[in-house]
Amino acid sequence: MPSLKKIVISDFRNISFQELSFSPNINCISGPNGSGKTNLIDAIYYISMTKSAFGTSDRYNFRHGTGEFSMCGSYLMENGLESKISVRTGSDAKVLKRDDKPYGRLSEHIGLIPIVLVSPSDVSLVSEGGEERRRFVNSVLSQMDPAYLSNVQQYERLLAGRNKLLKESSGFVDGDLMSVMDMRLSALASPIHEARRDFATKLSPLVAKYYEILSSGRESVCME
């Protein structure tokens, strides 16, 4: 598992500039409210996933008065070598590099540095609708399975295009075109559904085990 050795952040949210080194063991970040602790964690997440953990558009991550932000992390990889991951995001472009070599596509990077973020907002996984749960499952499976990530990206692009077509059609829709789009959506939805179902099946006994511990054996849960 890669471990973060150092991070440099510039103009990300309320962080004008910060350079931090980390222990290979447990690291504790402390400070008063509003000092940037959560933003630091989100920057680490951003390097792994090329987006914010909180679903915000990149334009809301620019520090006030700036038009871009950047961050760079130095990681000790599983092979014992050090690797540098950098990302610079502006209003019109995002450039991601590994050891100063740009990626052809951002999706090629997902899964290189697996990450799990736990926060108080995770209560929404059980208190809110299915969208939050799908987002969580997508974030986990996308790091484990490049094919799943590709399927989800294609599905979401196709669905957005279909919805836009329906919205702008004023009631007159090309039936043949809609049929082709629906067939393609169905073909993508099947492996996505199977992967999510398999994920839930494997995760359910772990959730049941730890929930039983937390409830002192008074309650049991399952996942579907």
Side-chain angles (χ1 to χ4, degrees):
M1 184 84 174
S3 61
L4 178 61
K5 296 183 62 179
K6 179 181 178 181
I7 190 170
V8 179
I9 307 168
S10 177
D11 293 327
F12 183 70
R13 298 194 176 181
N14 73 335
I15 302 175
S16 57
F17 181 83
Q18 188 60 259
E19 181 175 343
L20 292 171
S21 297
F22 296 93
S23 162
N25 301 306
I26 295 175
N27 293 269
C28 181
I29 310 298
S30 64
N33 289 340
S35 60
K37 301 185 300 296
T38 300
N39 293 340
L40 168 62
I41 299 301
D42 198 23
I44 296 172
Y45 184 93
Y46 199 106
I47 293 177
S48 286
M49 299 298 290
T50 73
K51 62 180 181 180
S52 169
F54 303 105
T56 55
S57 173
D58 279 333
R59 67 177 182 272
Y60 298 120
N61 292 323
F62 301 137
R63 189 171 64 87
H64 182 68
T66 67
E68 67 174 30
F69 62 84
S70 63
M71 51 197 73
C72 179
S74 297
Y75 292 84
L76 183 63
M77 306 303 287
E78 292 177 327
N79 59 8
L81 300 178
E82 190 169 324
S83 188
K84 182 175 71 174
I85 307 297
S86 63
V87 57
R88 180 178 296 274
T89 302
S91 56
D92 59 350
K94 181 184 300 185
V95 179
L96 178 68
K97 298 181 180 180
R98 180 181 180 184
D99 297 326
D100 297 323
K101 297 179 180 179
Y103 280 93
R105 295 180 301 171
L106 297 180
S107 59
E108 297 173 1
H109 174 68
I110 307 301
L112 176 70
I113 307 169
I115 191 167
V116 175
L117 176 65
V118 179
S119 77
S121 63
D122 287 345
V123 69
S124 63
L125 292 173
V126 292
S127 63
E128 301 295 334
E131 183 177 355
E132 291 298 323
R133 290 185 282 278
R134 286 191 292 272
R135 182 181 293 116
F136 168 74
V137 173
N138 284 344
S139 70
V140 176
L141 291 181
S142 293
Q143 297 182 76
M144 299 166 58
D145 185 357
Y148 178 87
L149 174 59
S150 177
N151 286 337
V152 168
Q153 289 175 329
Q154 292 180 67
Y155 183 90
E156 291 180 346
R157 284 196 297 266
L158 191 57
L159 183 62
R162 181 182 184 277
N163 290 343
K164 182 179 179 181
L165 181 64
L166 288 171
K167 186 177 181 180
E168 297 176 350
S169 65
S170 301
F172 299 96
V173 182
D174 185 327
D176 291 336
L177 176 58
M178 291 301 297
S179 178
V180 171
M181 296 180 79
D182 287 345
M183 289 176 60
R184 183 57 183 152
L185 279 170
S186 178
L188 290 166
S190 180
I192 291 173
H193 172 74
E194 290 176 6
R196 288 173 175 170
R197 182 177 58 189
D198 183 57
F199 177 76
T201 299
K202 292 178 178 178
L203 194 61
S204 185
L206 295 174
V207 172
K209 172 185 175 181
Y210 289 107
Y211 194 89
E212 183 180 11
I213 293 172
L214 289 171
S215 67
S216 299
R218 292 190 298 270
E219 300 177 5
S220 61
V221 297
C222 66
M223 285 180 54
E224 294 182 356

